[in-house]
Amino acid sequence: MLRTGLAARPDAVAEECWVGFFDGMVHPVLVKDRQSRLVFVNRAACEVFGHSRTELVGLAEHALIPSARPGDIDALDRAARDEGTSTSEQELPAPGGPRRFLVSRRPAGDFLVVTFVDVTDLRQTERVLREREAHLRGLMDLHPVIPFSFSPDGTLSDVSDRLAELTGLPADTRHVDSWWGVMHPDDRVELMALWAEAASRGGPFDAEHRLRMPSGAWRWFRVRVAARRDADGRIERWYGLLEDVHERHMSIAHLRESEARFRAFADDAPVMIWVTDVEGMNTFVSRGWLTATGQTLDEALGEGWLACVHPDDVEPSCAIFADALARRRSYTNEYRLRRTNGAWSWVIDVGQPRFLADGTFIGYIGCCVDISARRQAEDDRVLAQLQVFHMSRHDMLTGLPNRHYFGECYQEAVADLMPGRSVAVLMLDLDGFKAVNDTRGHPVGDQVLRQVADRLRTSVRSTDTVARLGGDEFAVIQTPVRSEKEACDLARRLIAAVSKPYDLDGTVPEVGASVGIAFARSQGDTAEEVMRSADVALYAAKQAGRGTCRVFDEATDIHLQTRQKMKAALRTALGKGELSVFFQPLVGLGDGEVTACEALMRWHRKGAGWVTPDQFIPVAEEAGLIGAMGEWVLHEACAQATRWPGHVSVAVNLSPLQFHGGALVDSVVSALRASGLPPERLQLEITESVLLDPTDRNIGILQELRGVGVKIVMDDFGTGYSSLGYLRSFPFDKIKVDRSFIRDLPHAREALAILKAVAGLGRSLNMRTTVEGVETQEQLDCARAEGVDEAQGYFFSRPLPAPAIETFIAARLNDCSAPGRPPRRKEG
């Protein structure tokens, strides 16, 4: 074979040796001619390419590479003709899959010897090492501790990029001496000395120091350094770890500061303070203990303190402490303690377990107080405990049980329930108490609360419990109760007792009470459930007019929930356009023309239809919405009134709540300015409840409104206690007589006399008079006969929407034969 491919060799033996030599090589070897044709392949090449030597000889080299491209073939041909040696790396197919080879081409006379060195495993190893290095660097970048190394001459290497980020050192730092330049001056000298010592003996080195950050702040770090030595013991390299310990250092500093403060406090405290570990052994005693007993600190630590305890008290004291320690509970103990002079004095020892935030028990802290100087020490101790116990369960102002003790009493009462019996819970709230506090001051309010408590105590049986839950809210547990009537009878007695007059320093506050009642009929009825039911019943009692009582029922609860839903719906009614303003005319009894129109709010609730004002106005006041709604009505009414004839005014009702907050005058001025309505065409109607403010604040607001130019009207005149007196306190422009004085006319003589008196009073005070609720011709005739100026009621018109009221006003101007209207006088 060789003779066919190589120059003829006379020595066949030499040829066989030469073939044997190449076949003995583990690396594939090819010999090709200048035409890139294979003339020889060794056994290793046959194994790699998967063909016999006969099959391979004569082939072109590129035939061994199925994926060879034209450019690769040209390169192989040029290599065959090239006289120089070349080396490249190639991936070649192999029976076990592609492998990478380092291919060397060397010319040998007319031939080119191609040697293949398999580097597949080497490249795989290199890739794995690179991946491991990247993995390691990734872990190092995430690790809070930064490694570094440096040569014996101080040259840094293997430095993480985070070193500069963490320490503030320049990113190009290459020598450990840079460290000294950013180190705190107070740390530098000491650490340089420590490092010099460590370097001289070959380490290790472990120290904490401060480095200056780019911001100028100082931060604590811990650096640890160890040396690596060669076989002769010489230091080859230093390896180090840098750790940010600033937070720990600060925590330790804060802890030491806190401990120092505690020790200072404990040593200066007038009591003897001690601290134990989890085993109950003393780890600290204050100066007070050492001074009192004469022990040294070492003598008092551990169980040494027992040496100062009276022999008869050692065993009981140890038993009490051991029991508390086992259960991790606080304890109180009294024993006799030997003083420095040998005398015995009684001390009270109070211990409290200590726990970490995660609940781990860490020992006890306690104090000893000398009680030997107290007279009748035992009685005083018991009395003090009883006082503390009583204060924790009773209201300090009234002495009644507080909410916590009330709950305990309820549990006891329910636990003792007998068949056929129940426990009644009465929730009592004072009516008018807020006005007492606001107008007469809290001292008078406190006197009222104390007197209320006394009256409640004397109104119940010895088996009942009276408690003050807070503010002006009281509660009663009545047990046992046989019937609902018993609880209602008690409620009425309580209301009567509370409602009696109070004479306090010459003032007589008007205070009443409302009561809600609920029952517990089994031990499964919890205090929370029953008190909530009683609260619902109390709410119903207040809604019924106060000064009354109500028993809880499901209907009341449903009503309350419905009311709450109405509050929520009312909050969004303005934005949804559900609210509107209707107007009811006031007709002058002299000429029959409309003189004014009263603005009345109406609510068409989506999905529920029209909601009457008597339903939603109280809800609006209770929910704090009346201010916003009242301001909206003012603007709407003034804007609408500008469409009417100039002699027709608009009347708007004001809630007493609108006088709170100081924004009413601004709201009125804003509505007038926005609409352009002259102030004299706006009438503001108030009830006498507005004038109940004893500070004259509301009178001042009315005077400001009068200064703006609007008219002030007293509505529902005659229904209060002192309506005539209010006419003296403020010069109203108009009086509106309540409909209750019109309803029974013309047959009720008393009502007719009152109407006549009011009309005369109005004329004498230069105030116009108006009657409400006129529904019949007879009622209108009576009002006209008595000289009333205006009338309002269904006889003329029901409240009308804005477009309809314009039509009505126009009709009254043009229709001289309108019902109840006299012939219109001709001008001139």
Side-chain angles (χ1 to χ4, degrees):
M1 178 187 68
L2 288 175
R3 290 191 180 94
T4 61
L6 298 173
R9 295 178 182 269
D11 193 349
V13 175
E15 179 181 343
E16 289 177 4
C17 291
W18 187 69
V19 172
F21 170 75
F22 281 110
D23 281 345
M25 296 179 67
V26 296
H27 302 300
V29 177
L30 307 178
V31 179
K32 63 180 184 177
D33 59 19
R34 292 296 181 177
Q35 286 74 42
S36 196
R37 299 290 179 178
L38 298 176
V39 296
F40 174 77
V41 293
N42 71 345
R43 184 178 295 111
C46 293
E47 292 175 356
V48 167
F49 296 114
H51 296 284
S52 68
R53 185 175 292 158
T54 303
E55 292 171 335
L56 293 175
V57 170
L59 295 178
E61 183 183 357
H62 61 76
L64 303 179
I65 309 174
S67 60
R69 295 168 295 181
D72 298 330
I73 295 172
D74 294 341
L76 292 173
D77 291 341
R78 286 194 304 272
R81 297 188 298 270
D82 193 359
E83 295 296 332
T85 299
S86 64
T87 303
S88 63
E89 189 170 316
Q90 288 181 258
E91 184 176 277
L92 299 177
R99 299 186 68 81
R100 298 196 68 83
F101 291 89
L102 193 64
V103 183
S104 297
R105 292 178 173 83
R106 295 181 177 83
D110 294 332
F111 301 98
L112 190 69
V113 179
V114 184
T115 306
F116 295 82
V117 178
D118 191 340
V119 294
T120 305
D121 294 339
L122 175 62
R123 296 295 181 255
Q124 178 67 15
T125 301
E126 289 175 346
R127 184 183 63 80
V128 170
L129 288 176
R130 284 194 298 270
E131 290 178 354
R132 288 182 179 176
E133 182 181 3
H135 176 70
L136 181 59
R137 284 194 173 275
L139 291 177
M140 288 169 56
D141 286 342
L142 290 174
H143 201 281
V145 177
I146 298 177
F148 63 91
S149 69
F150 57 92
S151 60
D153 65 0
T155 302
L156 281 166
S157 61
D158 300 327
V159 180
S160 170
D161 294 338
R162 292 183 58 245
L163 182 66
E165 175 187 341
L166 183 65
T167 64
L169 287 167
D172 58 352
T173 299
R174 290 294 177 265
H175 200 281
V176 293
D177 286 347
S178 301
W179 235 304
W180 305 114
V182 294
M183 187 177 296
H184 197 288
D186 295 346
D187 304 337
R188 188 182 304 150
V189 175
E190 181 181 357
L191 258 70
M192 291 181 77
L194 290 174
W195 168 244
E197 180 184 354
S200 65
R201 56 183 171 79
F205 177 75
D206 189 340
E208 292 186 1
H209 60 84
R210 287 163 287 183
L211 295 179
R212 184 174 59 248
M213 299 294 98
S215 64
W218 296 98
R219 195 165 185 87
W220 281 97
F221 293 89
R222 180 185 181 185
V223 61
R224 286 170 284 174
V225 177
R228 188 188 72 189
R229 301 175 182 271
D230 60 15
D232 297 328
R234 291 188 295 272
I235 295 177
E236 289 184 333
R237 193 158 200 81
W238 291 92
Y239 291 90
L241 294 173
L242 184 68
E243 181 183 1
D244 186 336
V245 295
H246 188 78
E247 300 303 329
R248 176 178 62 78
H249 205 282
M250 291 297 99
S251 297
I252 293 174
H254 292 325
L255 183 62
R256 288 172 178 167
E257 183 182 352
S258 176
E259 181 179 357
R261 285 198 301 267
F262 169 75
R263 288 180 177 274
F265 165 78
D267 285 340
D268 292 339
V271 296
M272 295 169 275
I273 296 177
W274 51 267
V275 180
T276 78
D277 59 17
V278 295
E279 302 296 333
M281 299 296 176
N282 271 4
T283 58
F284 170 80
V285 293
S286 68
R287 185 186 300 132
W289 174 278
L290 304 180
T291 302
T293 63
Q295 283 188 315
T296 65
L297 179 60
D298 290 338
E299 291 172 340
L301 296 182
E303 292 184 329
W305 64 279
L306 288 172
C308 296
V309 178
H310 194 285
D312 294 343
D313 299 335
V314 170
E315 186 175 347
S317 297
C318 289
I320 291 173
F321 180 68
D323 179 67
L325 181 64
R327 296 188 294 167
R328 306 290 195 262
R329 292 184 177 179
S330 58
Y331 76 91
T332 302
N333 180 34
E334 292 186 12
Y335 56 83
R336 285 161 289 182
L337 187 69
R338 187 184 62 243
R339 291 285 184 173
T340 304
N341 58 8
W344 297 99
S345 62
W346 280 96
V347 295
I348 181 170
D349 188 15
V350 180
Q352 187 73 24
R354 295 184 298 148
F355 298 93
L356 296 177
D358 61 359
T360 303
F361 173 70
I362 58 172
Y364 271 78
I365 184 170
C367 66
C368 291
V369 180
D370 188 338
I371 58 173
S372 60
R374 299 178 187 172
R375 298 180 60 184
Q376 301 178 340
E378 182 61 22
D379 291 342
D380 290 346
R381 183 181 66 83
V382 173
L383 178 60
Q385 286 185 337
L386 290 176
Q387 287 176 338
V388 171
F389 182 71
H390 184 273
M391 290 172 61
S392 68
R393 292 151 57 92
H394 289 78
D395 173 52
M396 294 184 64
L397 178 65
T398 63
L400 293 176
N402 58 18
R403 184 181 292 271
H404 176 71
Y405 189 24
F406 181 83
E408 293 181 6
C409 294
Y410 172 86
Q411 296 298 338
E412 293 177 4
V414 172
D416 295 338
L417 266 179
M418 300 293 291
R421 301 289 188 269
S422 60
V423 173
V425 173
L426 292 79
M427 301 292 287
L428 183 145
D429 189 79
L430 300 184
D431 301 331
F433 179 74
K434 184 177 184 302
V436 173
N437 257 349
D438 293 345
T439 61
R440 293 173 172 83
H442 288 282
V444 173
D446 290 346
Q447 292 183 58
V448 170
L449 290 175
R450 282 191 287 266
Q451 289 199 20
V452 167
D454 293 338
R455 295 181 186 187
L456 295 179
R457 282 193 192 95
T458 58
S459 300
V460 300
R461 303 169 301 182
S462 60
T463 57
D464 300 334
T465 301
V466 180
R468 182 189 178 206
L469 305 184
D472 61 344
E473 188 178 12
F474 295 83
V476 176
I477 298 175
Q478 186 185 20
T479 184
V481 177
R482 296 177 178 82
S483 66
E484 196 174 280
K485 180 178 180 298
E486 286 186 46
C488 293
D489 290 343
L490 174 59
R492 283 188 281 271
R493 290 199 304 273
L494 297 178
I495 292 171
V498 172
S499 301
K500 292 178 181 178
Y502 297 81
D503 188 1
L504 303 172
D505 299 330
T507 64
V508 184
E510 295 178 3
V511 176
S514 300
V515 179
I517 307 170
F519 296 93
R521 294 184 169 85
S522 70
Q523 295 183 0
D525 295 332
T526 66
E528 291 77 9
E529 294 170 343
V530 177
M531 291 176 71
R532 177 192 173 277
S533 298
D535 264 330
V536 171
L538 174 60
Y539 179 85
K542 285 185 170 293
Q543 293 299 113
R546 305 176 185 272
T548 186
C549 66
R550 287 290 183 272
V551 177
F552 172 81
D553 57 32
E554 294 299 332
T556 302
D557 196 18
I558 293 173
H559 171 74
L560 179 59
Q561 294 181 26
T562 301
R563 194 174 182 91
Q564 293 300 111
K565 291 178 181 178
M566 182 179 287
K567 284 183 184 179
L570 197 55
R571 292 183 191 278
T572 60
L574 267 175
K576 292 180 178 179
E578 295 179 2
L579 295 178
S580 58
V581 180
F582 279 40
F583 298 90
Q584 187 175 28
L586 283 71
V587 176
L589 299 188
D591 54 14
E593 292 184 358
V594 175
T595 59
C597 295
E598 182 178 0
L600 302 169
M601 192 183 306
R602 293 293 184 266
W603 181 19
H604 191 274
R605 185 177 176 183
K606 185 177 180 180
W610 290 101
V611 184
T612 60
D614 61 330
Q615 289 179 303
F616 73 81
I617 292 298
V619 174
E621 291 181 335
E622 185 177 317
L625 301 173
I626 198 65
M629 292 170 63
E631 185 172 358
W632 176 79
V633 170
L634 263 172
H635 280 77
E636 289 291 316
C638 290
Q640 183 60 36
T642 59
R643 302 172 181 269
W644 306 337
H647 69 279
V648 180
S649 299
V650 64
V652 178
N653 292 282
L654 296 180
S655 165
L657 297 179
Q658 290 178 263
F659 283 78
H660 299 164
L664 178 57
V665 177
D666 292 339
S667 296
V668 171
V669 171
S670 174
L672 291 172
R673 183 180 294 115
S675 63
L677 184 72
E680 62 271 12
R681 290 183 59 193
L682 175 60
Q683 300 178 9
L684 300 178
E685 298 187 3
I686 68 167
T687 59
E688 67 177 63
S689 58
V690 171
L691 304 174
L692 289 175
D693 180 14
T695 64
D696 292 334
R697 178 191 59 185
N698 290 351
I699 291 291
I701 294 174
L702 291 176
Q703 289 171 343
E704 287 187 62
L705 291 171
R706 171 66 65 77
V708 172
V710 301
K711 307 298 183 184
I712 308 298
V713 180
M714 174 175 277
D715 197 8
D716 299 335
F717 183 78
T719 58
Y721 293 104
S722 54
S723 296
L724 289 175
Y726 292 134
L727 295 182
R728 295 179 57 191
S729 62
F730 187 82
F732 290 90
D733 296 289
K734 184 194 293 186
I735 306 170
K736 291 186 74 172
V737 181
D738 188 71
R739 64 182 67 248
S740 61
F741 296 103
I742 305 301
R743 185 183 304 115
D744 298 328
L745 292 178
H747 308 295
R749 296 176 56 189
E750 295 84 355
L752 188 61
I754 292 174
L755 181 62
K756 182 176 182 178
V758 172
L761 182 64
R763 285 191 297 272
S764 63
L765 296 177
N766 197 27
M767 299 178 186
R768 291 180 62 82
T769 52
T770 302
V771 291
E772 298 179 295
V774 175
E775 298 183 0
T776 66
Q777 182 67 50
E778 290 79 5
Q779 292 172 342
L780 180 63
D781 292 340
C782 289
R784 182 182 286 120
E786 298 305 332
V788 174
D789 299 307
E790 294 172 331
Q792 178 183 3
Y794 287 176
F795 181 76
F796 301 103
S797 173
R798 291 177 176 273
L800 300 171
I805 197 65
E806 292 184 40
T807 304
F808 182 87
I809 294 172
R812 294 294 298 189
L813 283 173
N814 298 325
D815 188 4
C816 295
S817 60
R821 173 177 176 176
R824 185 180 176 89
R825 293 180 297 173
K826 294 183 180 180
E827 298 299 332

